[in-house]
Amino acid sequence: MSKAFEKGTASITSTIIAMNTVIVVIATSLLFPQSIPLTNWIGIIIIILAACIISINQTKRHT
């Protein structure tokens, strides 16, 4: 994680690192026969959108 902070900005790096819970939730739902409640899907979508928005804002600042 410290290597990621050395190479990238903290705002996008911390958001991507926080997405590890999203990966676990989606992988668990695929591997085991359980459903994900609607509130969890809404949270997953918000986290992914936040990571996309932050990365778009960061690339616009550097160009």
Side-chain angles (χ1 to χ4, degrees), residues 26-57:
I26 292 173
T28 303
S29 70
L30 293 175
L31 295 175
F32 301 107
Q34 64 182 21
S35 63
I36 300 176
L38 179 63
T39 54
N40 289 5
W41 278 116
I42 292 170
I44 290 169
I45 291 169
I46 289 172
I47 291 172
I48 292 171
L49 286 175
C52 292
I53 291 170
I54 290 172
S55 66
I56 290 169
N57 287 341

Side-chain angles (χ1 to χ4, degrees), residues 3-13:
K3 194 71 146 174
F5 283 118
E6 289 175 8
K7 297 205 180 256
T9 59
S11 60
I12 185 121
T13 306

